């Protein structure tokens, strides 16, 4: 799959911090049951890579990716683990150039017009706006739409069930990412049915546009 295809798979991408890699498989199944096929596992925990590998092997119908990619070494690690895409919080010229040597769709993060232009220079047209709310959110994306026609975004950072519609209504937004879909408390207590319910309700709300 190409990066734009991934962003267009569904309107919501859960941003997941996985403390226990053994929870990856039941979590992926709970989200699939709720109508969410794309998963972003952030590389902020010791068990993230193992969690990605378990999901890739045991729940192949889920499209599992890795977030918080900071360099090409991390990119190589997540590809080896079985991630089908990668997301970085930002972009720089060295990383953009080196990333081309790793055969995995990369969705770089941008927060300004200058970073967006850098991303385009290296052929990236499917981007993450991060941290969305902090850098201008909906207003910034609207201002990007004319000069950067054809670029598609997945805003994350401050996105919630309450404000996601403001983003999803924009032509240059394919989907939004958020941690509200997998609350830490529910993960800690393996409340899979409740996570499925949150996913179902969120997908239903997103489809009302």
């Amino acid at each position: 799959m190409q990066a734009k295809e991934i962003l267009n798979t569904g309107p919501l991408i859960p941003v997941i911090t996985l403390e226990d890699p053994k929870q990856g498989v039941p979590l992926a199944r709970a989200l699939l049951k709720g109508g969410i096929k794309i998963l972003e596992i952030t590389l902020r925990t010791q068990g993230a890579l193992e969690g990605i590998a378990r999901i890739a092997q045991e729940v192949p119908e889920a499209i599992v990716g890795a977030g918080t990619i900071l360099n090409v070494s991390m990119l190589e690690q997540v590809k080896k683990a079985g991630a089908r895409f990668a997301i970085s919080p930002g972009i720089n010229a060295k990383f953009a150039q080196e990333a081309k040597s790793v055969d995995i769709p990369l969705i770089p993060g941008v927060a300004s017009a200058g970073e967006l232009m850098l991303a385009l220079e290296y052929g990236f047209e499917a981007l993450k706006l991060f941290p969305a709310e902090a850098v201008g959110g909906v207003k910034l994306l609207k201002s990007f739409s004319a000069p950067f026609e054809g670029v598609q975004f997945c805003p994350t950072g401050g996105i919630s069930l309450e404000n996601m519609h403001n983003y999803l209504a924009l032509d240059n937004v394919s989907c939004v990412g958020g941690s509200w879909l997998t609350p830490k408390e529910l993960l800690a207590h393996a409340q899979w049915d409740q996570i499925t319910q949150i996913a179902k309700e969120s997908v239903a709300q997103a489809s009302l546009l």
Side-chain angles (χ1 to χ4, degrees), residues 48-49 63 75 104 114 117 130 143 172 180 199 204:
L49 281 173
I63 301 169
L75 199 59
I104 185 173
M117 289 170 69
F130 178 80
S143 69
N172 58 351
W180 87 87

Side-chain angles (χ1 to χ4, degrees), residues 16-50:
I16 302 161
T17 303
L18 202 60
E19 299 291 346
D20 181 355
K22 292 176 183 176
Q23 291 188 324
V25 167
L27 174 61
R29 288 177 176 151
L31 290 166
L32 277 169
K33 195 174 175 183
I36 291 176
K37 194 174 180 180
I38 301 271
L39 287 69
E40 177 192 340
I41 310 291
T42 65
L43 257 63
R44 299 177 194 165
T45 61
Q46 293 288 330
L49 281 173
E50 184 185 337

Side-chain angles (χ1 to χ4, degrees), residues 1 24-25 28-29 32 37-39 52-64 82 84:
M1 294 180 81
V25 167
R29 288 177 176 151
L32 277 169
K37 194 174 180 180
I38 301 271
L39 287 69
I52 289 167
R54 284 173 178 261
I55 295 168
Q57 289 165 10
E58 297 183 45
V59 197
E61 61 270 37
I63 301 169
V64 64
R84 292 169 64 182

Side-chain angles (χ1 to χ4, degrees), residues 77-94:
Q77 287 178 331
V78 299
K79 186 193 175 187
K80 189 176 179 181
R84 292 169 64 182
F85 67 94
I87 298 180
S88 65
I91 189 170
N92 60 54
K94 183 175 184 287

